[in-house]
Amino acid sequence: QVQLVESGGGLVQAGGSLRLSCAASGGTVSSYAMGWFRQAPGKEREFVAGLSWSGAAAVWKGRFTISRDSAKNTVYLQMNSLKPEDTAVYYCAAKAGARVGLRVDDYVYWGQGTRVTVSS
């Protein structure tokens, strides 16, 4: 059973940056495909970025970068040039298998989320 804990959210002005962290326990991040999703108020949860076993990244937003530190068993989401529409709760997720999944249902393990608010 993998436990995921996100951190790093907060309030930031438009144009600013944040780095979200997802610390894993009970499993190693390099043994799972990892994903970041977000859910804005009143909207469905959507894919933001993913990282395969091999470290290949899939990113939906060009302003975002996903990476991992295997030594720290942590996955990161670097978000730059933030916009008010990026305001959401951001979730880290893990799935079995090597490939990144783009759907919520592809992932088995989820963190509790970290809130990001971008002010205009």
Side-chain angles (χ1 to χ4, degrees), residues 15-77:
S17 298
L18 279 177
R19 188 178 77 159
L20 306 183
S21 300
C22 172
S25 60
T28 57
V29 294
S30 57
S31 298
Y32 294 85
M34 303 296 296
W36 282 98
F37 287 75
R38 70 183 186 185
Q39 188 165 18
K43 295 187 177 181
E44 294 187 350
R45 196 169 296 189
E46 63 179 6
F47 175 82
V48 174
L51 199 63
S52 70
W53 275 3
S54 65
V59 181
W60 180 58
K61 292 291 187 182
R63 297 175 285 113
F64 296 175
T65 304
I66 186 171
S67 62
R68 72 184 177 205
D69 184 334
S70 297
K72 295 182 177 180
N73 210 26
T74 298
V75 175
Y76 302 98
L77 182 69

